[in-house]
Amino acid sequence: MDTKHIQIRDYDYPLPGERIAKFPLPERDASKLLVYDRGQISETQFRSLPGLLPEGALMVFNNTRVIQARLHFRKKTPSVSPLKGEEDPSQPPLRGEERKSFKEDSGNLKALPLREGLGESAGLGALIEVFLLEPALPAEYQENFASRGSCSWYCLVGNLKKWKEGKLTREFKVQNSKFKITAERKGTHGTSQEIRFEWRMDPPLPSLKGREKVSHSRGDLEGSLSFAEVIDAVGELPIPPYLGRRTQESDKTTYQTVYSKIKGSVAAPTAGLHFTPKVLADIDARGIEREEVTLHVGAGTFRPVKSEDIGGHEMHAEHIAVRRRTIERLLAHGGEAIAVGTTSVRTLESLYYLGVQVATPLPTSPEGEEASASSAIYSPPLGGAGGGVAGSVLHVPQWMPYEYDNSLPTTEALEALLRYMDGRGEEVLHATTQIIIAPGYRYHIVRRMITNFHQPQSTLLLLVSAFIGEDWHRVYDYALAHDFRFLSYGDSSMLMP
């Protein structure tokens, strides 16, 4: 099969708007679970999942945590003064119907909801939305979140045409202290903008003198905030645009998995939303091992396939992190695992191709010496598409799985990764992946998959089809006929080809 020539129109199905779950169920594990077992389809409740899993298996979860990635600013207009008593623009009252702020241009994220009546007509100047994609400087996620005073991110910008120059400013409070944050455009990177943020107490404290300098650092007295604290204070959780509603306070809990730990995603790994502490305890009681990986979900997860064939669709690169222990446990299980969600699928399958890269001898250098495996670095594309790790990192190109003969056994690829990590003294493997999994793909590690029901004509539906073949039609027809709820807050399935 020539995967690049797959027609995306062949992966369409009718999805009525009322079948899209706008909110989660009150009990996460009360959702429905469709079970596809080698051609047979049945259904049960999600809380019954542990009893359907083979004892002693290995289950892999994505522990990423969604950040409050949407920041709102006003572009000041000299001729217009703010309305007296106007509320914080990041959380204004809803006025009229929601509208769309992102246009069909520049490949930007589309259809993020803003509030009607909050533009220039409200007397406040243009409302600019800055959507955090991935860290630019510092480039490592946790280092960036720990930054105090300034940092830079690659971002999508809503209403960009109204922000041609100058800094955007807004004030905010943390406890009883007032702060001011500014955003400044530093350049274009692919389809995103590099935005530099600076923040400080407002007004700044006077210079310290004498003994005050000894007893207090300026940062302590200014209540110096980390960037993580800043976005917690002023940001908004980016729920999927297809929900067609505002983010609510409850989403801060329900749109996170109960095991989320590592901040960095702009969308949740939604198959994990069904798990509760009780379900996890039942999984443990069956002797099933649980391991965690990290893939920070990017805005590309909402990006539709616009080309007629998928060869014209570019996948965004996403940052992944996998501990040595996880690779060792995969080896102990013969290189096989149950993946919770498509993000875990992409991470696990990318491990195989990362192993191929470090296991394959490199071409001989001009000096006649073979390059070492530890130098087999595949850098991600420029322009903010890469994965937020300083310097060059291992990278899985989008079409590598279809250009390599897949002859290396999975266990040898994983062993090569461990040797690579040994040579670099690393306990955690950091990499980026652009892998596209579509019909014609050969799975190497994933043997079962827990996943929600995905949008028509999406790369995630292609991934499912690559796993169970044309039976994806039967699975989705069954779900539609039996009142399953679809997309992020909807029901889920367990697929066993």
Side-chain angles (χ1 to χ4, degrees):
M1 173 181 287
D2 188 349
T3 300
K4 290 185 180 181
H5 289 117
I6 287 175
Q7 302 290 296
I8 194 62
R9 64 172 178 266
D10 294 335
Y11 295 85
D12 196 10
Y13 69 91
L15 179 58
E18 63 269 19
R19 304 305 297 276
I20 299 173
K22 299 296 180 69
F23 293 91
L25 297 177
E27 297 179 29
R28 292 175 183 257
D29 58 0
S31 58
K32 297 174 73 171
L33 177 70
L34 182 150
V35 180
Y36 172 88
D37 187 356
R38 289 160 291 186
Q40 301 299 311
I41 299 175
S42 59
E43 65 178 88
T44 183
Q45 273 195 316
F46 190 85
R47 56 178 56 127
S48 301
L49 173 67
L52 302 175
L53 301 174
E55 293 184 13
L58 175 65
M59 204 167 191
V60 178
F61 299 75
N62 182 8
N63 64 11
T64 189
R65 188 167 181 82
V66 185
I67 61 173
Q68 298 192 179
R70 296 174 64 178
L71 308 179
H72 295 126
F73 294 85
R74 289 288 179 188
K75 182 69 170 71
K76 292 183 179 179
T77 52
S79 59
V80 179
S81 300
L83 295 178
K84 185 177 181 180
E86 182 65 23
E87 297 182 22
D88 185 329
S90 71
Q91 294 295 336
L94 187 64
R95 303 172 184 170
E97 297 297 321
E98 291 187 333
R99 64 183 173 83
K100 310 301 182 183
S101 69
F102 281 79
K103 307 300 182 183
E104 298 286 335
D105 63 5
S106 302
N108 279 352
L109 185 64
K110 313 302 189 300
L112 291 177
L114 288 179
R115 289 81 169 155
E116 190 66 53
L118 291 173
E120 293 155 295
S121 61
L124 295 171
L127 181 61
I128 310 295
E129 178 171 296
V130 179
F131 190 103
L132 304 176
L133 291 180
E134 60 177 296
L137 190 68
E140 201 279 324
Y141 277 87
Q142 299 313 309
E143 185 180 351
N144 192 291
F145 287 132
S147 297
R148 296 180 184 273
S150 67
C151 66
S152 297
W153 278 69
Y154 298 121
C155 305
L156 298 179
V157 179
N159 220 1
L160 180 63
K161 64 183 179 182
K162 294 298 180 80
W163 183 22
K164 292 183 170 56
E165 59 183 12
K167 294 183 179 181
L168 303 178
T169 302
R170 67 171 288 184
E171 298 174 351
F172 64 99
K173 282 186 177 181
V174 174
Q175 296 179 348
N176 293 323
S177 298
K178 294 182 179 180
F179 291 84
K180 180 180 290 185
I181 182 173
T182 62
E184 181 180 12
R185 290 175 59 186
K186 304 301 290 185
T188 300
H189 290 262
T191 59
S192 64
Q193 302 287 321
E194 182 180 351
I195 307 296
R196 177 174 174 80
F197 299 100
E198 295 183 354
W199 61 95
R200 63 183 303 175
M201 182 174 280
D202 185 45
L205 290 178
S207 299
L208 301 180
K209 296 182 180 180
R211 293 167 62 182
E212 291 182 355
K213 279 189 177 181
V214 177
S215 59
H216 299 285
S217 72
R218 184 175 183 82
D220 290 338
L221 287 177
E222 286 200 351
S224 180
L225 300 177
S226 68
F227 190 62
E229 293 170 313
V230 170
I231 61 175
D232 281 346
V234 303
E236 181 180 313
L237 196 77
I239 61 173
Y242 48 67
L243 296 186
R245 64 172 176 84
R246 292 179 62 192
T247 300
Q248 299 189 3
E249 187 66 23
S250 60
D251 291 309
K252 293 182 180 180
T253 299
T254 59
Y255 197 57
Q256 304 280 10
T257 65
V258 298
Y259 49 81
S260 63
K261 298 180 180 69
I262 312 299
K263 291 183 177 182
S265 281
V266 301
T270 54
L273 297 179
H274 307 278
F275 288 84
T276 62
K278 175 65 164 59
V279 171
L280 295 174
D282 289 346
I283 288 172
D284 295 340
R286 285 185 60 80
I288 297 168
E289 286 192 64
R290 289 191 284 127
E291 281 293 327
E292 295 179 353
V293 296
T294 303
L295 181 145
H296 290 318
V297 188
T301 191
F302 298 132
R303 187 180 178 209
V305 180
K306 291 187 173 182
S307 56
E308 290 187 6
D309 56 51
I310 67 170
H313 180 76
E314 181 181 4
M315 297 287 288
H316 281 78
E318 294 171 303
H319 170 272
I320 62 175
V322 182
R323 296 181 303 165
R324 164 187 294 277
R325 169 190 159 84
T326 301
I327 299 174
E328 291 172 342
R329 298 318 301 158
L330 281 168
L331 278 168
H333 286 264
E336 299 183 355
I338 301 168
V340 177
T342 58
T343 58
S344 295
V345 170
R346 296 205 304 278
T347 303
L348 290 171
E349 293 298 313
S350 293
L351 284 180
Y352 173 79
Y353 291 100
L354 295 171
V356 166
Q357 291 179 22
V358 299
T360 304
L362 299 179
T364 302
S365 67
E367 290 75 21
E369 296 180 356
E370 186 180 271
S372 66
S374 64
S375 67
I377 304 299
Y378 290 70
S379 297
L382 298 176
V389 176
S392 295
V393 294
L394 286 171
H395 173 71
V396 180
Q398 177 168 332
W399 298 108
M400 182 181 175
Y402 311 93
E403 297 166 350
Y404 170 68
D405 64 8
N406 295 282
S407 61
L408 187 69
T410 301
T411 54
E412 291 186 20
L414 295 174
E415 288 167 351
L417 278 180
L418 290 180
R419 291 194 299 272
Y420 171 85
M421 295 173 71
D422 286 340
R424 299 165 68 92
E426 294 177 347
E427 285 299 314
V428 179
L429 177 71
H430 291 278
T432 61
T433 182
Q434 275 184 290
I435 194 170
I436 184 169
I437 298 178
Y441 180 85
R442 172 187 167 190
Y443 278 86
H444 296 276
I445 294 176
V446 176
R447 294 296 179 264
R448 296 188 183 204
M449 181 189 307
I450 315 295
T451 188
N452 283 14
F453 296 95
H454 305 293
Q455 287 182 291
Q457 299 191 39
S458 64
T459 58
L460 299 183
L461 190 54
L462 292 174
L463 181 151
V464 169
S465 178
F467 199 58
I468 61 173
E470 287 299 306
D471 270 2
W472 77 265
H473 290 285
R474 294 179 53 229
V475 167
Y476 277 65
D477 287 346
Y478 182 97
L480 286 166
H482 290 79
D483 297 323
F484 277 70
R485 302 158 74 245
F486 279 63
L487 308 187
S488 294
Y489 273 143
D491 297 313
S492 64
S493 63
M494 179 169 68
L495 307 179
M496 298 174 283

